[in-house]
């Protein structure tokens, strides 16, 4: 079971609604940037972060999210969290994954195969994650497409997501309605269709990636219920209307 202390539950009151909306995106009209342009901008900005900043940002995620998860597990039942292992210039998630495991949570992380679906594995230790080799580039000088580290355990089917009480997903940006700017492959949007009703989706990004304008959307896009950044946690969607939320 996930066990949260009273102090951790009190963190919830001090961490909500502190995320600043700073990304400059165009309004929903014919002049708005495409998702491709927005991705390039986000990735270029992320390259300015240092490993130390990413680690410190990851510690802040724990501080802001611990109280929110305490409210989910207050009924005392075991808590299953579908999360992810950060890579590259993303906010470091290993502190959060370690905290979840230390508090008795069952943690699922993606296993990315060669197809279009995300499989899952149960994470038992952050220290035993395995590096997934990249794909050699045509010139042989470097590797292409970064892959997150993965557990060595059995690969679970996409339907394993139905066991999750909370889903934590990466984003390159999040708009006011909760729509995520992803990396363009659509893996998460496909996977999230298997999330059970009432399971909240929390998007994680840098503070400056919380947008004050609407993203271009497509019919298959799945909005998040909340956004988590190093600066705080913010509920984005009405839990009663969306059928989920914390």
């Amino acid at each position: 079971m996930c066990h949260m202390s009273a102090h951790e539950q009190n963190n919830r009151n001090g961490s909500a609604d502190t995320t600043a909306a700073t990304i400059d995106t165009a309004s929903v009209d014919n002049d708005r940037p495409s998702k491709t342009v927005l991705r390039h901008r986000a990735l270029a900005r992320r390259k300015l972060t240092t490993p130390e900043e990413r680690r410190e940002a990851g510690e802040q995620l724990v501080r802001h999210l611990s109280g929110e998860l305490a409210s989910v597990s207050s009924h005392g039942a075991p808590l299953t969290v579908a999360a992810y292992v950060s890579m590259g210039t993303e906010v470091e998630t290993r502190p959060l994954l370690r905290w979840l495991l230390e508090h008795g949570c069952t943690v699922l992380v993606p296993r990315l195969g060669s197809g279009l679906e995300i499989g899952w594995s149960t994470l038992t230790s952050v220290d035993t994650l395995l590096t997934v080799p990249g794909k050699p580039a045509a010139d042989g000088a470097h590797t292409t497409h970064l892959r997150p580290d993965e557990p060595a355990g059995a690969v679970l089917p996409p339907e394993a997501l139905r066991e999750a009480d909370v889903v934590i997903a990466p984003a390159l940006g999040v708009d006011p309605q909760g729509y995520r700017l992803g990396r363009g492959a659509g893996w998460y949007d496909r996977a999230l269709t298997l999330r059970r009703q009432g399971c909240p989706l929390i998007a994680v990004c840098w503070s400056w990636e919380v947008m004050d304008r609407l993203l271009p959307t497509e019919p298959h896009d799945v909005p998040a219920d909340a956004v988590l950044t190093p600066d705080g946690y913010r509920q984005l969607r009405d839990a009663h209307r969306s059928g989920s939320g914390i």
Side-chain angles (χ1 to χ4, degrees):
M1 294 168 54
C2 271
H3 300 287
M4 285 66 172
S5 66
H7 172 72
E8 288 161 344
Q9 295 188 41
N10 288 338
N11 282 345
R12 184 183 184 193
N13 297 329
S15 63
D17 281 336
T18 59
T19 304
T22 57
I23 270 195
D24 179 19
T25 60
S27 59
V28 181
D29 55 34
N30 293 333
D31 297 324
R32 65 185 177 184
S34 68
K35 285 186 175 181
T36 299
V37 170
L38 293 172
R39 286 187 195 101
H40 286 318
R41 291 178 182 175
L43 292 171
R45 173 64 180 87
R46 286 183 172 196
K47 288 181 179 179
L48 301 178
T49 63
T50 66
E52 181 179 12
E53 288 172 334
R54 295 193 286 272
R55 286 192 298 269
E56 291 177 354
E59 297 289 349
Q60 292 301 311
L61 296 186
V62 177
R63 185 170 72 86
H64 294 307
L65 189 60
S66 58
E68 306 299 330
L69 292 182
S71 69
V72 176
S73 65
S74 60
H75 49 73
L79 188 67
T80 298
V81 179
Y84 66 98
V85 181
S86 58
M87 62 180 186
T89 54
E90 293 176 337
V91 176
E92 181 60 68
T93 61
R94 284 167 180 79
L96 178 59
L97 296 173
R98 186 172 286 110
W99 183 90
L100 291 169
L101 292 171
E102 289 173 351
H103 285 75
C105 297
T106 298
V107 179
L108 302 176
V109 295
R111 292 289 292 268
L112 304 179
S114 58
L116 297 178
E117 291 185 328
I118 288 183
W120 301 89
S121 275
T122 301
L123 179 68
T124 58
S125 172
V126 174
D127 298 325
T128 58
L129 285 167
L130 302 177
T131 300
V132 179
K135 180 181 178 181
D139 58 10
H142 61 281
T143 58
T144 60
H145 86 274
L146 215 52
R147 289 279 297 272
D149 293 349
E150 297 179 348
V155 179
L156 304 175
E159 291 77 15
L161 189 63
R162 293 179 182 144
E163 301 300 317
D165 299 294
V166 180
V167 177
I168 301 172
L172 290 169
V174 181
D175 80 2
Q177 293 184 348
Y179 286 101
R180 301 167 43 255
L181 178 65
R183 292 181 178 266
W187 279 322
Y188 267 97
D189 288 317
R190 284 185 290 273
L192 290 170
T193 62
L194 298 173
R195 179 178 49 140
R196 74 168 183 257
Q197 185 176 6
C199 173
L201 169 62
I202 302 171
V204 176
C205 62
W206 288 95
S207 305
W208 59 81
E209 294 170 342
V210 179
M211 302 174 175
D212 56 4
R213 306 287 180 88
L214 298 180
L215 274 169
T217 59
E218 300 174 52
H220 64 266
D221 289 339
V222 178
D225 301 292
V227 60
L228 175 67
T229 79
D231 284 349
Y233 174 93
R234 177 186 294 176
Q235 193 78 31
L236 296 174
R237 306 180 72 223
D238 187 297
H240 297 289
R241 289 197 326 181
S242 67
S244 57
I246 295 182

